[in-house]
Amino acid sequence: MFVDVLDKRYPTYVKGPTTAFWHLLRRRVRGREACVIVYYDVLAPFVAILRFLFPALSVVYMVRGDQVSWARFQGRLVRAKVAELHQKWMLRLGCVFVFASEDLRLAVSRRLGLLHRAAVLPNTLGRRLPPSRPFDGRIAVVGDFDTVKNIEFVLNSLCQGEYQVDLFGNTRLPDQWRQPWLHSHGVVSDLPSQLKHCSLIVLSSISEGFPNLILEALEAGCCIVAPSGPPFKELPLSPLWRYQMQPRHRMDGCLTDILHRLLLEQRDFRADNRELYDLIESDWEDRIWEIFA
C-alpha cells in the first residue's frame, strides 16, 4: 500500500540489497536522483556502502516498532545491543527517521539523542469511522502469551470473571487460562468482523509502534482503553479511557476500576476522543506526501 502511494508520483520498486545496488548504479549513470527506503536496522551496513558509493543518496529509515525493547523483553540482549548500534549508525549516516508514532520517536530519541531529521507517520484510514458501541462488559484482548503484547497483565486483572473476555491472536492457551469467562479464538483471518461481538479492547503492549489493532478496533465500532504511560502516552486518547499499569493503590486508576466506571457511565467513546478519530480518519496519502514530497 505504501509503495502504491509513492508510485503515483515517482517510480517505486521493492528490491533486495543486490538488485537495489545495480538499480541505483544505472540511475547514477543516467543522471537520475533516487531515494532508498529501508525498514530494518540490520541493513545499516548496506546503507553505509550505498552512502559511500552514492554520497548524495537520500535514505529513509522507517521505524515501525521498537526493536531494542522487543529484543530486551525476549532476553536477547546481544540483539538489543546490535539494534541500538545499528540505529546509531543510521543516524550518523544522515538517514531520515520516520516513526510510526510519537511515543516511538521519543523512545528512540532517548537512546540516540536529538534526531535532526525525523518525522512521524502513523497508520490512518482516510475515511469516516462507524459509531462506537457503549461498553457493555464484552471485552476483547488481542495477542499471544509471553510476548510484548503483555496480555497476561490484562487476564490477571480480569480473573474475577466479572466480564466476558474474548482472546484473539494466541497460538496456545495455557491450562491456567482455561476459564469459563475467557473464550479463546486463536489466530483469526478477519479480526474486525470478530470484534463486532465485543464492545471494548484493552491495549496493554509494553513495546509498540502504532498497532493496526487501533484501526481494527475503531473500524469494528469498539472502544479502547490503554495504559497512561508509554508506548501509548502520546496517543490522543482521553484520560477517561486510560488506566494505570502499576497503580499506587489497589483501586487507584487500575484497569478494573476504569472498566467499572465506564460500564456505569456509558460514555460516548467518539465524543470523548475526537482528536483520535480526526487522526485515524485523516488521509494517509496526504501525510506521506508531507514527508516524501
Side-chain angles (χ1 to χ4, degrees), residues 41-205:
D41 62 86
V42 293
L43 289 175
F46 171 69
V47 172
I49 294 172
L50 289 183
R51 292 304 299 270
F52 175 76
L53 296 174
F54 311 103
L57 182 69
S58 297
V59 181
V60 176
Y61 174 32
M62 305 290 287
V63 189
R64 313 315 287 170
D66 190 351
Q67 287 291 324
V68 176
S69 295
W70 170 83
R72 286 173 178 168
F73 178 85
Q74 296 290 332
R76 301 172 60 182
L77 301 184
V78 173
R79 176 66 184 94
K81 190 62 177 178
V82 168
E84 185 173 356
L85 290 174
H86 279 170
Q87 288 184 343
K88 289 181 179 179
W89 200 356
M90 294 278 203
L91 179 61
R92 288 197 296 269
L93 290 169
C95 298
V96 178
F97 283 60
V98 178
F99 298 94
S101 71
E102 181 64 17
D103 277 284
L104 187 56
R105 185 191 70 80
L106 292 172
V108 174
S109 297
R110 282 192 290 269
R111 289 195 294 265
L112 304 187
L114 181 63
L115 300 174
H116 295 284
R117 305 180 68 192
V120 177
L121 179 64
N123 298 326
T124 62
L125 292 173
R127 61 177 180 270
R128 179 78 174 179
L129 290 163
S132 60
R133 293 183 292 279
F135 177 45
D136 60 4
R138 296 177 298 165
I139 297 173
V141 180
V142 182
D144 205 356
F145 293 92
D146 299 318
T147 69
V148 293
K149 296 296 185 181
N150 196 28
I151 63 172
E152 292 89 344
F153 167 82
V154 181
L155 298 182
N156 276 314
S157 299
L158 303 177
C159 65
Q160 297 300 317
E162 300 174 78
Y163 303 101
Q164 171 188 313
V165 181
D166 287 272
L167 174 61
F168 302 95
N170 56 306
T171 57
R172 58 192 177 88
L173 183 65
D175 289 340
Q176 72 182 97
W177 298 118
R178 298 182 185 276
Q179 303 291 337
W181 52 270
L182 178 62
H183 306 280
S184 173
H185 301 270
V187 178
V188 295
S189 58
D190 185 6
L191 182 59
S193 66
Q194 298 291 325
L195 292 177
K196 290 179 179 179
H197 303 291
C198 305
S199 60
L200 180 142
I201 291 178
V202 180
L203 300 178
S204 57
S205 174

Side-chain angles (χ1 to χ4, degrees), residues 135 163 258-267:
F135 177 45
Y163 303 101
I258 298 302
L259 294 177
H260 289 159
R261 178 178 54 76
L262 292 175
L263 189 60
L264 178 65
E265 295 180 359
Q266 291 291 284
R267 301 194 64 85

